Structures are given as C-alpha cells and as structure tokens.
Amino acid sequence: MTRLILHIKRLLPLIIFLSGPLYLSAGESNETFRHINLGGGFTYHSIRDEGISSLLYSGRHNTVRAGINNHASSHLSQTEISFSKAYLHPSTYPELTESSVKTIIGKVNYTYMREAANIFNGHLELFAGGSLNNSYVYHRHMLFHNSAVRNSLYSTVNLTGMGAYDFTWNEKDLTLFYRMSVPVVSFNIRPSYAMSKPIGYLTNPGNGTKAFLESVEVATVDSFRGLTNSICLEYRLSSIHGLRLEYKWNYYEYNSGNTVKSGTNALLLNAFVNF
Amino acid sequence: MITRVLIIIITLSLTACEKAFIEKDPANEPVENFQILWETIDKKYSFFEYKNINWDSIYSEYRPRVHNQMTERQLFSVLSEMLHHLRDGHVNLDAGFDISRSWEWYKDYPANFNYSILRSSYLKNTYEEKGPFVTQVIDSIGYIYFGSFTKRVEPEIIDNIIEDFSDLKGIVFDVRSNGGGFSTNVEILASRFADKERLVAYNLFKKGPGHDEFTDPQPVHLSPKGSEQFLKPVVVLTNRRSYSATNDFALKMSALPHVTVVGDTTGGGGGTPIYKELPNGWTYRFSATITLAPDKFNVEHGIPPDIQVDMRQRDISRGLDTILETALELIQQ
C-alpha cells in the first residue's frame, strides 16, 4: 500500500503536466472575455549546471509563444506554451565557439487566479491564485562525448499574484500588468550525479515506467527556489485585437547532487485576438 | 496615481537580476584551475577505493607547487603529473598545445600483434573490407579484424558477415590493438553471438560525492539480435592494447559459452569517461562508473584471456601469428 501511494505521488508530475489544458476547457462556460495570443521574442539565458560544467554559460534564445486566455468577471485562467532554442557559450571564453551548449526549452504553463481586490475606482485589479509550470530543458555540450546530452523536466506548483492597471495615455487605452510567481513544490527529473541519464533509467534500463517513477525528485523551497517576474503593457488596436509587450524574468536554483542556477530575461511581443 | 503604480512596478522589477544569485566564474588563474580540477575529480572519479589512491595526500603534495605566476606549460605539467596518479587511460587533460595521457595499461607489455604479418600471411590479397571490418576465410574458418570501435558499426554489415560465415566451422574475432571507441557498438556486435539472454556484466554509477557512493551493482544483460546469430565456436583475440569499449566487448563475449578469449590480458578501462572543462578552457575527462564481470571481478585493469598466448619470436621471424594460429587450431579441434 505504501508502495502504491509512493507511486501515485511520483505520478503527480505527469498528472499535473496534462491537467492544465483539460482545466481550461472546463472553465470556458463562465468567461466574459476570451482570446488567443501568438508571439515571440528574445530571451537572454544564463545558467550554471554543475552536472554539465563548473562554468557559467550564457546566450540569447529565440523564443516563440502561444496561449489561450479566459478572463471572466471574477477570475482568469491562462494556458501558455513556449519554445526556445539557443547556443550558450561559457562566459569566461565566449570566443571558443566549439565549447557551446545547445539548449532547447519547452514550457507549458497553466495559471488560474481569482480577483482579490478592485481599487482606484476600478482602475487597478489585483488577482491571486496559482500556476502549474512544466519545463522541459535539453542541453547538449557540443565539445564533449559521453554524458553530453542531458534532459531535465521540472514541474512546479506556484503561488501567483497579478495586478492589472488600466490607464489612458495620448488618448490610447492601455493596461499595465505586473505578475509574480513563486514555486512552492516541484517534481523534477534530472540527470543523475555523474551520468546524463536520470538515476531511475540507470537502475531500471528495461522498464520505462519504473525508470520514470524512480527518477522523480520531490522538492520544496529547501532545495528548489525560484521567482518569475513579468511586466506587460497591453495596447488594444480594436475591440478584438491587441498587442502585448512583455518583459519577463525567471530565476530558479535547484540543489540536488549537482546545483543548477538558471536565470532568463525575455523580451516578448504578442498579438492577441478575441474570440 | 499612475506614477505610484509605475514606481511600485519598477521597484519590483529591479529584483529581476540573476547576477545577484549566480556567482561569477572562478578566476582564470592557475590556483583556481587546479582547485576545480582536483575537486571535480574528488567528487566524481570512480576508482579511488579500488586503486587505493589517497587523493587528499595528492592535494597536499601538488597544491604547494601551483601559484598564480606560473606559465600555462608549467601548470599543465603539474596537473598532468597529478592526474598520472590515477593510473587510468581514460584520464586526459587537453590543453590545446598538449594532451596528458597514461600509457601504463600497455606500455611495458608485449605487443602481441603485428599487422604486417597478418596482412602478408593471412589476409593476403583476397581479404574483403566490409564497413569497418576486414574479413577473410582461413581454412574454412571466418576471420574478422576490427581495428577501432571509433568507427560506427551498422547492424546490417555485421548481419551480412554472420550470414556469409554461417556455413564455416567457426569465427576468429580479432580486436587486438583496438583502443576502444563507441560503446554502443559493443552490444550491436556481441548480440550477434548471443544464444539467449544472459547476464554479462554489472555497472555501478556514482550517486554522490563520497569516494564510495555508488548505486548497487546494476546487472547488464545481453540478448540475441540480428537476423541470425553465430553459435558455433568463436575465438576472440585480445592483447594489452585492447582497451575501453574493446575491453567491454571482450567482457561480454567471454560470458557466452561458445566463446573463448585467446591472447593477452586486455588493457582494461572499465569506467565510462565523462568530460569537464576548466576556467582556462582546457578540457579533461575521467572515469565515472565501475564495471564488474558477472562474478564481480573489477575489469578496470583488464580481463585475463581463457588461454594466455604470446607471440613467439620464432613464429614472427617465420611470418606467423602465434595467437591467431592458436585460435585456428582451437576451432579446428
């Protein structure tokens, strides 16, 4: 029985990974405002993953992003998918181009927030809620051979807060959003201490399910700390179209055998259409 | 009002600076480079206990010899000398202008292989080249020479050879002086000689920084693969320069009942090497796993053959390969 509970606990990341899009369709009946968005931009990434190297790697990602938002009178929900790719170089000798790390990051994020306060004559709305963030990170060190390819999966449950401020500037209606998100618990799969495969895949090479389950590490703020900060300016082109310019900062560090510290600064432009 | 909101947002955004959390790289100075090399090896090298190496005392010996005024070549010399204590062919330091190596695994041993004799007395002008393999038929016995595991083995090619040799009395698989390469080739080749699923090795993986922090031995099984398996007598020829992936091949083949290993003890190299780098851009590699035979024998220092044979000088002068002759005789019997 204990073993079964342990397995259910370890399956949670998969459940969480799949639950976001399902929840979105469940919440559609209450929306008063719904739109899809599509866009992209650049992300500057710095990472030191002791599993790969003791050196700091950094570089610029090209990022694309798509999402669906529901905004009802009392709550909002948002599902977002983003994908970015870059070649990162060691900060100490960026001219040595062959010593690069090919990095691909895929993210699926689901956020649900309820309105907590409405102040300044309705100009400023404050929201509070939570989000589920699933990140897949691929690294390949182009100079190395064995253990050069590393895959990581981070599923985090976050506390999220947001403020939305409506204002007019030069006779244009604009909204300024600020959002902050802090992970409280995460379910992670990382390469093992010295090899590129997660530990479960080394100890159960013939059983994929068991390997996956035994590779999941549950982490709280003791070992997994992070913060996502974003400022977004929304400009409505018409009643159904608009543009969003966003600056987003994300940082996390994870201490599990090999410490990884990663920070990204993204500048993204999104177009959205109501439907 | 808007001013107040903007001030709050800008203040919050000022937290968006990962440089406050991610430390700068260590300085590119000899002392820092030494320290990182020593510490990484200390945490991740896999044979300290097996080789009875006191890495702390090596630190005490070498740390005083490193100072920030020394030249790159002086630093390379000290670091190479330190790494030499690991007595491991999988340990290298690549500085661009030089690479440190350990040759002990074959240096003072007989060569036990002479390609000129092989070429003139056995391959002659009638051999075939199939992918990375050189093949010949000698007295109704198939002969395969595989000189380097660094060449990718296409499964179709080895299947084709097995099919061509299926009517012969046996196969001599010669991996002498094969210094290793892609370990993925090992399973492709050995599985063509497997009669059923068998335990062929154990692997131990580092799971923490302690010198003895490993997983339990993880069994490695070999199963038959390919269109056809060769289950008649097979002799694998090895010498001291059969290293790394070749050592692994000899280990897995020796677990099969119809396979005999003939020649000299292999060179070893049982740990999978991983790669790292220093702040000055030098790269290095070292063993990070342990491989054991099914009887838990540690194969880091080589696998003894079933039949020990050295090349005799009298045979060499007559253009004969003593080890290959022994293998052919064994299969004929």
Side-chain angles (χ1 to χ4, degrees), chain B residues 193-218:
Chain B
F193 298 94
D195 56 339
K196 60 178 183 180
E197 183 178 292
R198 285 179 185 276
L199 174 71
V200 289
Y202 290 99
N203 285 327
L204 287 83
F205 302 98
K206 283 283 283 177
K207 61 175 186 180
H211 290 185
D212 59 350
E213 281 190 77
F214 289 95
T215 62
D216 293 331
Q218 302 300 316

PDB file of all heavy atoms in Angstrom, chain B residues 193-218:
ATOM      1  N   PHE B 193      26.224 -12.900 -31.414  1.00  0.00           N
ATOM      2  CA  PHE B 193      26.803 -14.178 -30.978  1.00  0.00           C
ATOM      3  C   PHE B 193      26.064 -14.733 -29.754  1.00  0.00           C
ATOM      4  O   PHE B 193      26.461 -15.755 -29.213  1.00  0.00           O
ATOM      5  CB  PHE B 193      28.291 -13.979 -30.641  1.00  0.00           C
ATOM      6  CG  PHE B 193      29.101 -13.540 -31.834  1.00  0.00           C
ATOM      7  CD1 PHE B 193      29.333 -12.193 -32.080  1.00  0.00           C
ATOM      8  CD2 PHE B 193      29.599 -14.472 -32.736  1.00  0.00           C
ATOM      9  CE1 PHE B 193      30.064 -11.780 -33.187  1.00  0.00           C
ATOM     10  CE2 PHE B 193      30.328 -14.063 -33.851  1.00  0.00           C
ATOM     11  CZ  PHE B 193      30.563 -12.716 -34.084  1.00  0.00           C
ATOM     12  N   ALA B 194      25.016 -14.052 -29.307  1.00  0.00           N
ATOM     13  CA  ALA B 194      24.307 -14.467 -28.087  1.00  0.00           C
ATOM     14  C   ALA B 194      23.273 -15.547 -28.400  1.00  0.00           C
ATOM     15  O   ALA B 194      22.526 -15.431 -29.366  1.00  0.00           O
ATOM     16  CB  ALA B 194      23.626 -13.257 -27.458  1.00  0.00           C
ATOM     17  N   ASP B 195      23.281 -16.605 -27.587  1.00  0.00           N
ATOM     18  CA  ASP B 195      22.324 -17.689 -27.805  1.00  0.00           C
ATOM     19  C   ASP B 195      20.996 -17.421 -27.086  1.00  0.00           C
ATOM     20  O   ASP B 195      19.944 -17.875 -27.508  1.00  0.00           O
ATOM     21  CB  ASP B 195      22.917 -19.028 -27.340  1.00  0.00           C
ATOM     22  CG  ASP B 195      23.365 -18.991 -25.888  1.00  0.00           C
ATOM     23  OD1 ASP B 195      23.603 -17.879 -25.356  1.00  0.00           O
ATOM     24  OD2 ASP B 195      23.471 -20.062 -25.261  1.00  0.00           O
ATOM     25  N   LYS B 196      21.037 -16.715 -25.974  1.00  0.00           N
ATOM     26  CA  LYS B 196      19.835 -16.363 -25.214  1.00  0.00           C
ATOM     27  C   LYS B 196      20.206 -15.178 -24.315  1.00  0.00           C
ATOM     28  O   LYS B 196      21.379 -14.794 -24.254  1.00  0.00           O
ATOM     29  CB  LYS B 196      19.355 -17.536 -24.374  1.00  0.00           C
ATOM     30  CG  LYS B 196      20.364 -18.013 -23.356  1.00  0.00           C
ATOM     31  CD  LYS B 196      19.812 -19.152 -22.516  1.00  0.00           C
ATOM     32  CE  LYS B 196      20.818 -19.556 -21.444  1.00  0.00           C
ATOM     33  NZ  LYS B 196      20.373 -20.625 -20.595  1.00  0.00           N
ATOM     34  N   GLU B 197      19.216 -14.639 -23.609  1.00  0.00           N
ATOM     35  CA  GLU B 197      19.528 -13.520 -22.718  1.00  0.00           C
ATOM     36  C   GLU B 197      20.422 -14.017 -21.587  1.00  0.00           C
ATOM     37  O   GLU B 197      20.103 -15.002 -20.923  1.00  0.00           O
ATOM     38  CB  GLU B 197      18.245 -12.900 -22.149  1.00  0.00           C
ATOM     39  CG  GLU B 197      18.555 -11.676 -21.282  1.00  0.00           C
ATOM     40  CD  GLU B 197      17.307 -11.003 -20.737  1.00  0.00           C
ATOM     41  OE1 GLU B 197      16.557 -10.428 -21.535  1.00  0.00           O
ATOM     42  OE2 GLU B 197      17.104 -11.057 -19.512  1.00  0.00           O
ATOM     43  N   ARG B 198      21.531 -13.333 -21.379  1.00  0.00           N
ATOM     44  CA  ARG B 198      22.484 -13.739 -20.350  1.00  0.00           C
ATOM     45  C   ARG B 198      22.987 -12.517 -19.589  1.00  0.00           C
ATOM     46  O   ARG B 198      23.135 -11.435 -20.164  1.00  0.00           O
ATOM     47  CB  ARG B 198      23.711 -14.412 -20.977  1.00  0.00           C
ATOM     48  CG  ARG B 198      23.478 -15.812 -21.455  1.00  0.00           C
ATOM     49  CD  ARG B 198      24.740 -16.386 -22.082  1.00  0.00           C
ATOM     50  NE  ARG B 198      24.470 -17.692 -22.648  1.00  0.00           N
ATOM     51  CZ  ARG B 198      24.481 -18.836 -21.964  1.00  0.00           C
ATOM     52  NH1 ARG B 198      24.779 -18.821 -20.670  1.00  0.00           N
ATOM     53  NH2 ARG B 198      24.220 -19.983 -22.562  1.00  0.00           N
ATOM     54  N   LEU B 199      23.307 -12.753 -18.321  1.00  0.00           N
ATOM     55  CA  LEU B 199      23.968 -11.716 -17.529  1.00  0.00           C
ATOM     56  C   LEU B 199      25.414 -11.626 -18.005  1.00  0.00           C
ATOM     57  O   LEU B 199      26.131 -12.623 -18.012  1.00  0.00           O
ATOM     58  CB  LEU B 199      23.921 -12.096 -16.045  1.00  0.00           C
ATOM     59  CG  LEU B 199      24.705 -11.184 -15.105  1.00  0.00           C
ATOM     60  CD1 LEU B 199      24.019  -9.830 -14.968  1.00  0.00           C
ATOM     61  CD2 LEU B 199      24.863 -11.825 -13.732  1.00  0.00           C
ATOM     62  N   VAL B 200      25.845 -10.441 -18.407  1.00  0.00           N
ATOM     63  CA  VAL B 200      27.203 -10.317 -18.942  1.00  0.00           C
ATOM     64  C   VAL B 200      28.082  -9.355 -18.138  1.00  0.00           C
ATOM     65  O   VAL B 200      29.303  -9.340 -18.296  1.00  0.00           O
ATOM     66  CB  VAL B 200      27.197  -9.876 -20.424  1.00  0.00           C
ATOM     67  CG1 VAL B 200      26.697 -10.994 -21.318  1.00  0.00           C
ATOM     68  CG2 VAL B 200      26.364  -8.615 -20.628  1.00  0.00           C
ATOM     69  N   ALA B 201      27.471  -8.521 -17.299  1.00  0.00           N
ATOM     70  CA  ALA B 201      28.274  -7.534 -16.538  1.00  0.00           C
ATOM     71  C   ALA B 201      27.402  -6.884 -15.473  1.00  0.00           C
ATOM     72  O   ALA B 201      26.177  -7.092 -15.422  1.00  0.00           O
ATOM     73  CB  ALA B 201      28.828  -6.469 -17.475  1.00  0.00           C
ATOM     74  N   TYR B 202      28.053  -6.104 -14.632  1.00  0.00           N
ATOM     75  CA  TYR B 202      27.356  -5.204 -13.706  1.00  0.00           C
ATOM     76  C   TYR B 202      27.967  -3.817 -13.870  1.00  0.00           C
ATOM     77  O   TYR B 202      29.182  -3.687 -14.057  1.00  0.00           O
ATOM     78  CB  TYR B 202      27.564  -5.635 -12.249  1.00  0.00           C
ATOM     79  CG  TYR B 202      26.873  -6.912 -11.858  1.00  0.00           C
ATOM     80  CD1 TYR B 202      27.572  -8.124 -11.823  1.00  0.00           C
ATOM     81  CD2 TYR B 202      25.533  -6.919 -11.491  1.00  0.00           C
ATOM     82  CE1 TYR B 202      26.951  -9.305 -11.449  1.00  0.00           C
ATOM     83  CE2 TYR B 202      24.898  -8.098 -11.110  1.00  0.00           C
ATOM     84  CZ  TYR B 202      25.618  -9.286 -11.085  1.00  0.00           C
ATOM     85  OH  TYR B 202      25.004 -10.451 -10.710  1.00  0.00           O
ATOM     86  N   ASN B 203      27.120  -2.796 -13.742  1.00  0.00           N
ATOM     87  CA  ASN B 203      27.607  -1.414 -13.720  1.00  0.00           C
ATOM     88  C   ASN B 203      27.282  -0.763 -12.384  1.00  0.00           C
ATOM     89  O   ASN B 203      26.206  -0.993 -11.826  1.00  0.00           O
ATOM     90  CB  ASN B 203      26.949  -0.581 -14.829  1.00  0.00           C
ATOM     91  CG  ASN B 203      27.511  -0.892 -16.194  1.00  0.00           C
ATOM     92  OD1 ASN B 203      28.689  -1.211 -16.321  1.00  0.00           O
ATOM     93  ND2 ASN B 203      26.687  -0.818 -17.209  1.00  0.00           N
ATOM     94  N   LEU B 204      28.212   0.029 -11.892  1.00  0.00           N
ATOM     95  CA  LEU B 204      27.962   0.828 -10.696  1.00  0.00           C
ATOM     96  C   LEU B 204      28.118   2.298 -11.078  1.00  0.00           C
ATOM     97  O   LEU B 204      29.091   2.667 -11.743  1.00  0.00           O
ATOM     98  CB  LEU B 204      28.960   0.495  -9.578  1.00  0.00           C
ATOM     99  CG  LEU B 204      28.780  -0.849  -8.861  1.00  0.00           C
ATOM    100  CD1 LEU B 204      29.428  -1.960  -9.640  1.00  0.00           C
ATOM    101  CD2 LEU B 204      29.377  -0.774  -7.467  1.00  0.00           C
ATOM    102  N   PHE B 205      27.160   3.116 -10.655  1.00  0.00           N
ATOM    103  CA  PHE B 205      27.161   4.535 -11.021  1.00  0.00           C
ATOM    104  C   PHE B 205      27.342   5.395  -9.775  1.00  0.00           C
ATOM    105  O   PHE B 205      26.754   5.107  -8.733  1.00  0.00           O
ATOM    106  CB  PHE B 205      25.839   4.909 -11.704  1.00  0.00           C
ATOM    107  CG  PHE B 205      25.558   4.096 -12.935  1.00  0.00           C
ATOM    108  CD1 PHE B 205      24.723   2.993 -12.885  1.00  0.00           C
ATOM    109  CD2 PHE B 205      26.140   4.421 -14.149  1.00  0.00           C
ATOM    110  CE1 PHE B 205      24.462   2.235 -14.006  1.00  0.00           C
ATOM    111  CE2 PHE B 205      25.886   3.674 -15.286  1.00  0.00           C
ATOM    112  CZ  PHE B 205      25.056   2.572 -15.214  1.00  0.00           C
ATOM    113  N   LYS B 206      28.107   6.460  -9.910  1.00  0.00           N
ATOM    114  CA  LYS B 206      28.275   7.397  -8.797  1.00  0.00           C
ATOM    115  C   LYS B 206      26.927   8.035  -8.481  1.00  0.00           C
ATOM    116  O   LYS B 206      26.193   8.435  -9.375  1.00  0.00           O
ATOM    117  CB  LYS B 206      29.257   8.512  -9.188  1.00  0.00           C
ATOM    118  CG  LYS B 206      30.710   8.143  -9.163  1.00  0.00           C
ATOM    119  CD  LYS B 206      31.294   8.085  -7.761  1.00  0.00           C
ATOM    120  CE  LYS B 206      31.582   9.456  -7.192  1.00  0.00           C
ATOM    121  NZ  LYS B 206      32.090   9.419  -5.817  1.00  0.00           N
ATOM    122  N   LYS B 207      26.616   8.111  -7.180  1.00  0.00           N
ATOM    123  CA  LYS B 207      25.364   8.782  -6.817  1.00  0.00           C
ATOM    124  C   LYS B 207      25.587   9.892  -5.791  1.00  0.00           C
ATOM    125  O   LYS B 207      24.637  10.473  -5.265  1.00  0.00           O
ATOM    126  CB  LYS B 207      24.331   7.772  -6.308  1.00  0.00           C
ATOM    127  CG  LYS B 207      24.737   7.018  -5.070  1.00  0.00           C
ATOM    128  CD  LYS B 207      23.589   6.129  -4.597  1.00  0.00           C
ATOM    129  CE  LYS B 207      23.930   5.486  -3.275  1.00  0.00           C
ATOM    130  NZ  LYS B 207      22.868   4.623  -2.775  1.00  0.00           N
ATOM    131  N   GLY B 208      26.842  10.197  -5.500  1.00  0.00           N
ATOM    132  CA  GLY B 208      27.145  11.272  -4.567  1.00  0.00           C
ATOM    133  C   GLY B 208      28.633  11.530  -4.555  1.00  0.00           C
ATOM    134  O   GLY B 208      29.422  10.812  -5.188  1.00  0.00           O
ATOM    135  N   PRO B 209      29.063  12.567  -3.827  1.00  0.00           N
ATOM    136  CA  PRO B 209      30.470  12.967  -3.886  1.00  0.00           C
ATOM    137  C   PRO B 209      31.443  12.050  -3.135  1.00  0.00           C
ATOM    138  O   PRO B 209      32.647  12.121  -3.369  1.00  0.00           O
ATOM    139  CB  PRO B 209      30.458  14.363  -3.263  1.00  0.00           C
ATOM    140  CG  PRO B 209      29.250  14.394  -2.393  1.00  0.00           C
ATOM    141  CD  PRO B 209      28.247  13.494  -3.031  1.00  0.00           C
ATOM    142  N   GLY B 210      30.949  11.212  -2.229  1.00  0.00           N
ATOM    143  CA  GLY B 210      31.838  10.320  -1.483  1.00  0.00           C
ATOM    144  C   GLY B 210      32.540   9.324  -2.395  1.00  0.00           C
ATOM    145  O   GLY B 210      31.972   8.908  -3.405  1.00  0.00           O
ATOM    146  N   HIS B 211      33.751   8.950  -2.027  1.00  0.00           N
ATOM    147  CA  HIS B 211      34.512   8.025  -2.884  1.00  0.00           C
ATOM    148  C   HIS B 211      33.845   6.658  -2.995  1.00  0.00           C
ATOM    149  O   HIS B 211      34.141   5.898  -3.917  1.00  0.00           O
ATOM    150  CB  HIS B 211      35.935   7.864  -2.338  1.00  0.00           C
ATOM    151  CG  HIS B 211      36.776   9.099  -2.511  1.00  0.00           C
ATOM    152  ND1 HIS B 211      38.102   9.171  -2.190  1.00  0.00           N
ATOM    153  CD2 HIS B 211      36.462  10.330  -2.997  1.00  0.00           C
ATOM    154  CE1 HIS B 211      38.571  10.382  -2.451  1.00  0.00           C
ATOM    155  NE2 HIS B 211      37.587  11.096  -2.934  1.00  0.00           N
ATOM    156  N   ASP B 212      32.985   6.332  -2.032  1.00  0.00           N
ATOM    157  CA  ASP B 212      32.310   5.027  -2.069  1.00  0.00           C
ATOM    158  C   ASP B 212      30.812   5.166  -2.342  1.00  0.00           C
ATOM    159  O   ASP B 212      30.052   4.214  -2.139  1.00  0.00           O
ATOM    160  CB  ASP B 212      32.540   4.286  -0.742  1.00  0.00           C
ATOM    161  CG  ASP B 212      32.002   5.087   0.433  1.00  0.00           C
ATOM    162  OD1 ASP B 212      31.646   6.270   0.243  1.00  0.00           O
ATOM    163  OD2 ASP B 212      31.948   4.536   1.549  1.00  0.00           O
ATOM    164  N   GLU B 213      30.370   6.296  -2.807  1.00  0.00           N
ATOM    165  CA  GLU B 213      28.927   6.495  -3.048  1.00  0.00           C
ATOM    166  C   GLU B 213      28.538   6.033  -4.453  1.00  0.00           C
ATOM    167  O   GLU B 213      28.649   6.788  -5.422  1.00  0.00           O
ATOM    168  CB  GLU B 213      28.544   7.961  -2.855  1.00  0.00           C
ATOM    169  CG  GLU B 213      28.383   8.360  -1.401  1.00  0.00           C
ATOM    170  CD  GLU B 213      27.758   9.740  -1.262  1.00  0.00           C
ATOM    171  OE1 GLU B 213      26.544   9.876  -1.438  1.00  0.00           O
ATOM    172  OE2 GLU B 213      28.515  10.685  -0.976  1.00  0.00           O
ATOM    173  N   PHE B 214      28.089   4.793  -4.516  1.00  0.00           N
ATOM    174  CA  PHE B 214      27.687   4.210  -5.798  1.00  0.00           C
ATOM    175  C   PHE B 214      26.309   3.572  -5.662  1.00  0.00           C
ATOM    176  O   PHE B 214      25.875   3.239  -4.556  1.00  0.00           O
ATOM    177  CB  PHE B 214      28.676   3.109  -6.226  1.00  0.00           C
ATOM    178  CG  PHE B 214      30.018   3.638  -6.642  1.00  0.00           C
ATOM    179  CD1 PHE B 214      31.064   3.692  -5.727  1.00  0.00           C
ATOM    180  CD2 PHE B 214      30.239   4.067  -7.933  1.00  0.00           C
ATOM    181  CE1 PHE B 214      32.306   4.179  -6.102  1.00  0.00           C
ATOM    182  CE2 PHE B 214      31.479   4.554  -8.311  1.00  0.00           C
ATOM    183  CZ  PHE B 214      32.514   4.609  -7.406  1.00  0.00           C
ATOM    184  N   THR B 215      25.658   3.383  -6.785  1.00  0.00           N
ATOM    185  CA  THR B 215      24.435   2.570  -6.782  1.00  0.00           C
ATOM    186  C   THR B 215      24.832   1.124  -6.508  1.00  0.00           C
ATOM    187  O   THR B 215      26.016   0.775  -6.582  1.00  0.00           O
ATOM    188  CB  THR B 215      23.739   2.620  -8.162  1.00  0.00           C
ATOM    189  OG1 THR B 215      24.649   2.067  -9.144  1.00  0.00           O
ATOM    190  CG2 THR B 215      23.365   4.039  -8.561  1.00  0.00           C
ATOM    191  N   ASP B 216      23.851   0.289  -6.214  1.00  0.00           N
ATOM    192  CA  ASP B 216      24.131  -1.147  -6.151  1.00  0.00           C
ATOM    193  C   ASP B 216      24.557  -1.598  -7.546  1.00  0.00           C
ATOM    194  O   ASP B 216      24.206  -0.941  -8.537  1.00  0.00           O
ATOM    195  CB  ASP B 216      22.873  -1.912  -5.732  1.00  0.00           C
ATOM    196  CG  ASP B 216      22.490  -1.585  -4.289  1.00  0.00           C
ATOM    197  OD1 ASP B 216      23.408  -1.278  -3.500  1.00  0.00           O
ATOM    198  OD2 ASP B 216      21.290  -1.613  -3.972  1.00  0.00           O
ATOM    199  N   PRO B 217      25.275  -2.728  -7.633  1.00  0.00           N
ATOM    200  CA  PRO B 217      25.640  -3.208  -8.982  1.00  0.00           C
ATOM    201  C   PRO B 217      24.390  -3.455  -9.831  1.00  0.00           C
ATOM    202  O   PRO B 217      23.471  -4.161  -9.394  1.00  0.00           O
ATOM    203  CB  PRO B 217      26.381  -4.521  -8.700  1.00  0.00           C
ATOM    204  CG  PRO B 217      26.885  -4.370  -7.296  1.00  0.00           C
ATOM    205  CD  PRO B 217      25.850  -3.563  -6.564  1.00  0.00           C
ATOM    206  N   GLN B 218      24.357  -2.827 -10.984  1.00  0.00           N
ATOM    207  CA  GLN B 218      23.201  -2.952 -11.871  1.00  0.00           C
ATOM    208  C   GLN B 218      23.499  -3.992 -12.945  1.00  0.00           C
ATOM    209  O   GLN B 218      24.443  -3.826 -13.723  1.00  0.00           O
ATOM    210  CB  GLN B 218      22.887  -1.602 -12.533  1.00  0.00           C
ATOM    211  CG  GLN B 218      22.604  -0.485 -11.541  1.00  0.00           C
ATOM    212  CD  GLN B 218      21.428  -0.800 -10.655  1.00  0.00           C
ATOM    213  OE1 GLN B 218      20.400  -1.287 -11.122  1.00  0.00           O
ATOM    214  NE2 GLN B 218      21.569  -0.552  -9.354  1.00  0.00           N
TER     215      GLN B 218
END
